Amino acid sequence: MASVKDLLLNSLKDLREDDLKEFQWHLEKDHECIKKSEMENADRLKTVDKMVACFGPEETVKITVKILKKMNQNNLADQLENNHKQGSTADDREATLHEYTEPSHRLKDKLKQEYEQILIGNSETGHLEYLNDIYTDLYVVGNETGGRVNDHEVIQIESNHNRLTAKEKPIKCKDMFKVQCDTGRRNRKVLTTGIAGVGKTVSVNKFIIDWAKRTENQDIVFIFPLPFRRLNLIKGECSLMELLNKYFFSSPEELPSLPQGDGKVMFIFDGLDECRFPLNFKEDDTFTNVNEKTTVSKIIINLIKKHLVSSALIWITSRPAAASLIPRNYINQMTEVRGFNDEQKEQYFLKNSPEVSENIFSHIKKSRSLYIMCHIPVFCWISLTVLQPLLAQESSDKTPTTLTGMYTSFLISQQQQMEDKYCDEPKPNSNAVSFDQIILKLGKLAFQQLEKGNLIFYKEDLEECGLDVRKGSVHSGLCTRMFQEEKVSKRSVYSFVHLSVQEFLAALYVFLINKKKKANPFVKRWKEITQKFYIKPLFQLHKAAVDKALQSENGHLDLFLRFLLGLSLESNQSDLKELLPGLKLKTQNVKDTADYIKKKIEKEKSVERTINLFHCLSELRDNFVEEIQKNLSSGNLSAQNLSSAQWSGLVFVLQMSEETQKMFELQKYRRSDEAVMRLLPVIKNTRRAL
Ligand SMILES: Nc1ncnc2c1ncn2[C@@H]1O[C@H](COP(=O)(O)OP(=O)(O)OP(=O)(O)O)[C@@H](O)[C@H]1O
């Protein structure tokens, strides 16, 4: 079978000398990567070689056909097109794929280096571990099936049917894109959701490392991990090929094109919730050229819509609130990362801290809510950080039991470790800034950047908030514990050690400035001044924060809101006092806030948002279970309409409630077999089920 290069050469051989010159003229005029000087003395062979090196075999055929048609060489164009179609047999594909073997190996080696180790903690204080050593299997389920766009009606009906009957089943990430034995089909586009810190990024990294180490999914030729966090930094326009060469190869010509064929190329977009550019799927702006410059947003939309690299596999991960940014009809399969089950929690501590794992685990088991929270891996990590030093002491009654309590303890543990580190220094720095001043500065940075939607920032942003990260500076101790520093194109970029830590510090800042100055950063300046004379400044703050969080399209203030509300409880504040001795404790009346949230729940249409509001009530230790029951029995949250991801969110809030742990009135729920099945974990954990 003739190779693509032979076919191209045959076509050019049929051109006269002056036609060849015209062909080359079109070529260099329309394509930046072909230089005029290169074409000056190029014969047919050189022309073909140069084109294939620049565009790859498939794209070269398309370009040649286009130019031949422009030159009115229609017969030649049709001949080339037909011969190429006929020649595209499996054998020929294999031959074409062969051309990608080298770059594929190089990419694997590069990704292996990048993903083999995972940073536990941050770059300064943490340490690198082999991902495979610490990786604990997660519980991942496949749930509702997405629709298909532009498919035949029958398939759409079938997929709707699947949507209703698709049973939730555990699924391994490594199998998510494999051809399924029963149907013979494969999922091309998967959207994986999961709450903050549940292990989406780690799952993605595990998938990549297994591929790079040549142990899984070897039929995929290229995997390109493009986290939104990184994509946000791309300014200006670029083509898909430029972007891939820049990120994954050392020169622009290393990967001139992408292989054709089902599932040979995979793009992984991690952290949709972190996307900071608009994704407008309604715009009818078809874009098909991998070599043409455009915006990053357009590249991603057209990849997802299958206009660009239509045969590619696409994996997107997102926190639940942002998942709706991608219309469901572009997705074949939804999956959800549920975190650790009880056995996996135990394995996590055993793998990550073999010496004290038993102690830590029995400690965690004593507190029901902490034990439940540990189904989220990031809590396991935070618990480990908090509990390791705590366990060195005798008393253990300080174990935090709420989300806010846990992060407060995390901050305390960081302060203690910092003090331990510097206690041997002969003379404390005379310019020492008090801890609360640093916290305020860090918090200001966290809040300002979170509001703007930035999760990565530069030295100037730190300086603007009065922070100095130079080694030995007065701030460096805590900052190096809180920040992750990376070099991106020779420039240092910073992010918090985990997004949830940024969300906590931002809430702490807003809480403190409200307490000290009655400030409310969510209202306009003049309004704020008048509000200071209002009664209930805390309620005004909460109300404004709830409204602001609900307005966000991607839920970027959801976790912040939960922390902010949690901080208003005296129990959490007394922990904080250890950190900030100047803090005056005051029992706050949060009933108005709870009532306001309940009113919002009644009006809220999005189930994800509603669930976050339930979480907020739980942070306020409100008796919100009544509220869930009311919503379920009124049909506002109907058992039939809840997706499994939504159920899991609901069950999680219910499990966290102290009240449900004492008693759970199943009879108050609308009776349905599905509801009973879903609520089993709650029933199992309650002392009295009615
Ligand atoms: N499978 C796992 N095995 C061991 N540790 C894990 C695992 N998954 C997550 N972790 C721990 O939890 C932390 C948070 O996980 P990860 O960043 O993957 O969460 P995420 O779901 O992407 O969160 P977010 O939505 O906030 O970005 C990791 O840094 C790691 O310490």
Side-chain angles (χ1 to χ4, degrees):
M1 188 66 58
S3 81
V4 176
K5 277 191 176 178
D6 292 332
L7 290 178
L8 289 162
L9 190 63
N10 282 342
S11 301
L12 295 196
K13 271 187 185 159
D14 285 343
L15 290 178
R16 292 196 322 252
E17 278 310 310
D18 51 340
D19 290 334
L20 177 68
K21 282 281 149 231
E22 186 184 340
F23 181 89
Q24 291 168 334
W25 178 80
H26 280 293
L27 197 57
E28 42 138 294
K29 182 169 69 68
D30 296 341
H31 302 278
E32 260 175 38
C33 72
I34 308 265
K35 307 269 168 307
K36 197 174 173 187
S37 57
E38 290 170 326
M39 286 296 107
E40 252 159 29
N41 297 314
D43 57 12
R44 289 171 178 79
L45 278 173
K46 268 200 179 149
T47 311
V48 169
D49 282 344
K50 180 70 200 168
M51 284 180 80
V52 175
C54 264
F55 314 116
E58 301 298 321
E59 196 61 26
T60 304
V61 173
K62 282 189 207 154
I63 292 172
T64 309
V65 169
K66 204 168 152 191
I67 299 181
L68 289 174
K69 283 189 177 162
K70 267 190 198 169
M71 294 166 60
N72 278 333
Q73 298 277 0
N74 294 328
N75 281 348
L76 221 48
D78 292 345
Q79 219 176 10
L80 173 63
E81 211 163 22
N82 289 337
N83 287 345
H84 178 245
K85 258 188 212 149
Q86 282 167 14
S88 293
T89 58
D91 274 358
D92 200 39
R93 285 236 171 85
E94 273 305 307
T96 317
L97 279 183
H98 191 68
E99 296 177 29
Y100 294 99
T101 314
E102 260 302 299
S104 169
H105 281 315
R106 277 202 295 275
L107 181 65
K108 282 181 183 166
D109 293 342
K110 180 182 163 64
L111 296 184
K112 192 167 141 237
Q113 273 201 341
E114 267 176 39
Y115 288 86
E116 190 162 46
Q117 290 182 305
I118 176 173
L119 189 64
I120 306 290
N122 72 3
S123 43
E124 276 287 322
T125 57
H127 57 285
L128 286 167
E129 290 270 8
Y130 283 96
L131 177 62
N132 280 342
D133 288 348
I134 62 123
Y135 181 81
T136 310
D137 254 334
L138 286 159
Y139 191 58
V140 183
V141 290
N143 43 44
E144 43 177 323
T145 315
R148 272 157 231 261
V149 70
N150 294 339
D151 260 349
H152 190 273
E153 253 172 82
V154 178
I155 303 181
Q156 280 198 5
I157 293 167
E158 191 192 82
S159 77
N160 281 339
H161 175 71
N162 281 345
R163 195 185 306 227
L164 296 176
T165 55
K167 283 273 174 300
E168 185 183 290
K169 53 173 193 258
I171 179 169
K172 287 200 160 41
C173 289
K174 67 181 171 74
D175 298 332
M176 240 155 40
F177 290 88
K178 288 186 180 152
V179 176
Q180 286 157 18
C181 304
D182 47 347
T183 59
R185 275 185 292 186
R186 83 189 308 172
N187 295 313
R188 292 265 197 84
K189 289 180 283 178
V190 177
L191 175 59
T192 298
T193 59
I195 54 176
V198 80
K200 298 177 294 293
T201 302
V202 171
S203 302
V204 159
N205 292 3
K206 174 79 173 126
F207 188 95
I208 296 167
I209 194 66
D210 286 348
W211 176 77
K213 284 188 150 185
R214 286 107 171 141
T215 50
E216 291 291 341
N217 289 297
Q218 293 305 296
D219 57 325
I220 303 175
V221 183
F222 293 113
I223 293 187
F224 299 113
L226 293 167
F228 279 100
R229 201 169 254 251
R230 279 292 154 84
L231 293 172
N232 289 336
L233 299 174
I234 301 176
K235 304 278 174 270
E237 299 200 333
C238 63
S239 72
L240 175 64
M241 293 318 295
E242 275 169 359
L243 192 140
L244 299 181
N245 274 296
K246 182 168 170 234
Y247 275 89
F248 303 100
F249 297 94
S250 47
S251 85
E253 280 168 25
E254 243 179 292
L255 185 69
S257 65
L258 294 170
Q260 305 277 315
D262 186 27
K264 297 294 168 214
V265 181
M266 177 172 193
F267 295 95
I268 304 185
F269 300 113
D270 184 28
L272 175 63
D273 45 288
E274 298 180 14
C275 174
R276 296 297 167 247
F277 44 84
L279 285 175
N280 184 358
F281 280 85
K282 288 202 185 106
E283 210 175 323
D284 188 18
D285 201 358
T286 307
F287 186 83
T288 55
N289 191 342
V290 293
N291 289 303
E292 199 178 318
K293 283 185 193 296
T294 185
T295 58
V296 180
S297 165
K298 248 190 211 162
I299 292 182
I300 293 167
I301 291 172
N302 280 282
L303 282 171
I304 296 174
K305 283 187 172 178
K306 287 204 326 198
H307 295 150
L308 204 58
V309 201
S310 59
S311 57
L313 304 175
I314 293 183
W315 189 8
I316 306 155
T317 70
S318 175
R319 287 186 183 179
S324 59
L325 292 177
I326 297 187
R328 238 10 84 85
N329 50 346
Y330 294 117
I331 300 296
N332 301 131
Q333 169 80 54
M334 294 283 296
T335 60
E336 189 199 356
V337 182
R338 291 269 174 90
F340 296 148
N341 59 28
D342 292 351
E343 203 181 306
Q344 289 162 339
K345 287 177 202 170
E346 206 161 344
Q347 277 169 16
Y348 173 91
F349 290 107
L350 198 65
K351 275 192 162 185
N352 284 275
S353 181
E355 312 79 41
V356 281
S357 71
E358 224 170 276
N359 272 357
I360 295 184
F361 202 61
S362 66
H363 203 86
I364 285 168
K365 270 188 134 173
K366 277 190 214 146
S367 152
R368 181 88 217 134
S369 42
L370 185 57
Y371 185 66
I372 293 168
M373 273 205 294
C374 275
H375 94 265
I376 305 173
V378 78
F379 284 123
C380 290
W381 171 67
I382 293 218
S383 308
L384 204 69
T385 322
V386 169
L387 292 176
Q388 257 169 343
L390 264 187
L391 282 174
Q393 304 157 9
E394 274 305 295
S395 132
S396 58
D397 57 341
K398 286 212 170 140
T399 317
T401 53
T402 61
L403 176 89
T404 313
M406 182 60 113
Y407 277 75
T408 308
S409 301
F410 175 70
L411 202 56
I412 295 172
S413 75
Q414 296 305 299
Q415 186 210 19
Q416 276 166 356
Q417 286 176 28
M418 194 179 89
E419 280 176 357
D420 291 348
K421 191 172 165 195
Y422 295 111
C423 69
D424 295 338
E425 284 182 7
K427 205 171 150 214
N429 192 330
S430 53
N431 297 324
V433 180
S434 67
F435 191 70
D436 44 349
Q437 276 175 298
I438 308 182
I439 290 292
L440 271 178
K441 288 176 186 199
L442 270 174
K444 186 175 176 189
L445 174 81
F447 177 65
Q448 284 185 349
Q449 299 296 327
L450 187 69
E451 257 211 316
K452 283 192 228 157
N454 289 344
L455 315 170
I456 289 190
F457 22 86
Y458 300 102
K459 201 163 145 257
E460 299 81 80
D461 300 316
L462 306 185
E463 283 165 2
E464 204 188 299
C465 295
L467 286 164
D468 177 358
V469 279
R470 272 174 307 144
K471 280 224 160 41
S473 79
V474 283
H475 303 131
S476 67
L478 190 67
C479 291
T480 48
R481 288 186 174 274
M482 290 296 161
F483 289 140
Q484 187 76 44
E485 186 182 351
E486 277 176 275
K487 289 254 184 282
V488 173
S489 346
K490 293 191 190 137
R491 208 172 161 199
S492 277
V493 294
Y494 300 86
S495 56
F496 282 91
V497 61
H498 191 265
L499 177 54
S500 54
V501 173
Q502 178 176 356
E503 291 161 324
F504 173 69
L505 284 170
L508 185 56
Y509 167 74
V510 172
F511 165 75
L512 289 175
I513 58 166
N514 184 263
K515 205 165 171 64
K516 283 189 178 161
K517 306 181 197 159
K518 292 192 179 164
N520 184 346
F522 297 109
V523 293
K524 292 211 174 75
R525 190 85 193 102
W526 62 268
K527 250 191 162 180
E528 194 184 2
I529 295 166
T530 50
Q531 274 204 358
K532 281 192 186 172
F533 301 105
Y534 277 159
I535 36 168
K536 303 182 184 167
L538 185 71
F539 171 59
Q540 296 299 338
L541 174 74
H542 286 169
K543 185 167 168 279
V546 170
D547 291 345
K548 189 89 184 176
L550 287 176
Q551 278 161 17
S552 158
E553 263 203 352
N554 57 1
H556 74 296
L557 294 174
D558 284 357
L559 203 54
F560 158 86
L561 181 65
R562 278 163 66 183
F563 285 130
L564 182 66
L565 299 178
L567 285 168
S568 58
L569 295 196
E570 200 183 328
S571 52
N572 285 325
Q573 289 177 18
S574 58
D575 290 341
L576 264 182
K577 210 165 159 54
E578 192 173 322
L579 208 60
L580 311 167
L583 191 75
K584 289 200 180 65
L585 294 189
K586 194 171 155 208
T587 313
Q588 306 276 0
N589 184 353
V590 287
K591 189 176 172 308
D592 288 340
T593 306
D595 288 346
Y596 186 69
I597 294 175
K598 286 175 192 169
K599 265 196 224 139
K600 286 280 168 189
I601 290 177
E602 273 168 29
K603 290 193 206 128
E604 184 54 52
K605 298 230 162 30
S606 143
V607 181
E608 264 80 28
R609 286 310 163 75
T610 309
I611 292 172
N612 194 54
L613 291 174
F614 286 139
H615 273 298
C616 290
L617 290 176
S618 160
E619 277 303 316
L620 288 175
R621 294 191 187 243
D622 181 88
N623 173 16
F624 64 95
V625 181
E626 275 284 309
E627 217 52 41
I628 298 189
Q629 289 186 321
K630 216 164 74 190
N631 273 274
L632 272 170
S633 59
S634 70
N636 204 8
L637 288 174
S638 150
Q640 273 82 29
N641 294 337
L642 288 183
S643 73
S644 55
Q646 291 160 343
W647 264 115
S648 72
L650 204 58
V651 168
F652 181 53
V653 227
L654 276 170
Q655 279 186 304
M656 295 296 296
S657 143
E658 280 176 20
E659 200 204 339
T660 30
Q661 283 175 37
K662 284 189 215 126
M663 191 175 81
F664 181 65
E665 292 180 81
L666 184 67
Q667 59 195 6
K668 282 203 182 165
Y669 289 73
R670 256 192 185 181
R671 294 280 184 81
S672 81
D673 288 350
E674 184 174 14
V676 176
M677 284 301 289
R678 301 281 192 182
L679 293 167
L680 266 182
V682 183
I683 302 166
K684 255 176 31 194
N685 281 327
T686 185
R687 272 171 246 148
R688 251 182 96 204
L690 297 175

